[in-house]
Amino acid sequence: MIRLEEAERTAPGPGEVQIRIRRAAINPSDLIPVTGAYRSRTVLPFVPGFEGIGEIAALGEGVSGLSLGQRVLPIGASGLWQSFLLRPADWCFAVPDDLSDEAAAMAYVNPLTAFRLVEAARTHFGAAGGQRVGVTAAASAIGGMLLVLLAEAGFRPVALVRSAASAARLAETFAGEIVPHAAPPLDAVLDAVGGEPGNALFRQIRGGGAFIQYGALSGAQLDAALVASRRETVAFSFLWLRNWVHSAPRAAIEAAFARSFAGIRAGVLGSAVDGVFPLSDLPAALARQDDPARTGKLLLAP
């Protein structure tokens, strides 16, 4: 259950900053722990929200390189669905002045996940050479990013969607292959869905291929027995952006953000915004998140 509560604002300790949140995104990954999943690593109660932008409101002792009023992306943990947030200064990344709050608030989860997925495909095959890589939920924001990045890397992206309406909408911006139902044989799949749709795709991957899962929009994982039965011919892996973020050098994360910002400016890594809700209207925002008529990301404005 999610509910709003009032809490005392805490001053930042040594090495910390206090951040006033300006915009926070609502992502599927924010809502999965709320359902009770990830019990092993989610301590209740907790504040959801992995992605957003804020401005420095107070500096703790010993903090350098950041200034009051500076806009930053605080990453590394949840907690952005609130008005003020404490975060170690080392987990805050500066935002360029030319990006709006709305654009910057969505510069983290989808773009950096897309970068890691394409890199994982490149690592598996050694080099991109026209391999057919299926992208599930291809009409989504991250799906569109993956189609662009795969093509740029030298793969042949195949957009996998669940309806003719999604296929028609995607065809307005993507000139490649769009498959609205059953997929033809593929060399790899980048999957956000899991469950039975994922099982069907897993069976269609050619020997030597890869299935890289990064979400479970269906609410279910792949059939473990199916994965085991093809382990000698198809590599299966689950990509968690969090794992990379917590192991990568800061310079690598900064480079990824610079690439994300550049892609947003170029119009290829941005996400459409369906609406901005005040935090006090969180129930309405969550209801809209589940609305099939939603046309883009939802943002909270604490």
Side-chain angles (χ1 to χ4, degrees), residues 54 57 77 95 177 233:
V95 175
E177 185 177 357
T233 57

Side-chain angles (χ1 to χ4, degrees), residues 10-286:
T10 306
E16 292 184 330
V17 293
Q18 182 189 81
I19 302 164
R20 184 178 73 83
I21 302 301
R22 296 167 65 109
R23 294 288 187 273
I26 297 179
N27 289 305
S29 56
D30 298 316
L31 299 173
I32 291 174
V34 175
T35 67
Y38 303 162
R39 288 187 182 91
S40 61
R41 63 176 190 267
T42 302
V43 178
L44 300 177
F46 78 105
V47 179
F50 287 105
E51 181 178 42
I53 180 174
E55 64 181 39
I56 304 295
L59 300 168
E61 181 182 352
V63 173
S64 61
L66 297 173
S67 58
L68 293 175
Q70 182 179 9
R71 295 189 307 157
V72 295
L73 301 180
I75 70 169
S78 69
L80 274 73
W81 292 6
Q82 58 185 322
S83 299
F84 288 88
L85 170 72
L86 290 183
R87 188 60 45 93
D90 289 345
W91 284 105
C92 295
F93 293 81
V95 175
D97 291 340
D98 64 319
L99 292 188
S100 68
D101 285 348
E102 286 72 20
M106 300 179 289
Y108 172 40
V109 171
N110 280 349
L112 269 61
T113 298
F115 297 157
R116 302 315 306 161
L117 286 166
V118 175
E119 182 60 28
R122 197 197 319 255
T123 298
H124 174 80
F125 289 109
Q131 295 92 343
R132 290 164 51 79
V133 180
V135 176
T136 63
S140 67
I142 190 172
M145 296 175 193
L146 286 169
L147 296 175
V148 171
L149 294 173
L150 286 167
E152 288 180 349
F155 294 104
R156 288 178 57 195
V158 179
L160 307 175
V161 295
R162 291 184 292 177
S163 69
S166 293
R169 185 170 67 253
L170 186 58
E172 296 175 1
T173 57
F174 177 62
E177 185 177 357
I178 301 174
V179 181
H181 296 294
L186 298 164
D187 296 301
V189 169
L190 307 181
D191 179 53
V193 179
E196 282 307 312
N199 291 335
L201 288 170
F202 193 84
R203 296 185 182 98
Q204 293 294 100
I205 296 178
R206 296 187 179 101
F211 189 102
I212 306 169
Q213 189 176 3
Y214 67 97
L217 294 176
S218 68
Q221 300 296 328
L222 264 63
D223 182 343
L226 172 62
V227 173
S229 71
R230 300 203 68 194
R231 72 164 66 94
E232 300 299 327
T233 57
V234 177
F236 174 83
S237 60
F238 202 109
L239 186 141
W240 297 94
L241 178 62
R242 176 186 176 89
N243 289 350
W244 179 78
V245 165
H246 281 267
S247 62
R250 182 179 176 90
I253 301 174
E254 289 177 337
F257 274 127
R259 185 181 176 192
S260 173
F261 298 150
I264 291 171
R265 292 188 189 99
V268 295
L269 294 183
S271 299
V273 176
D274 179 85
V276 180
F277 289 76
L279 186 59
S280 58
D281 232 357
L282 180 59
L286 296 178

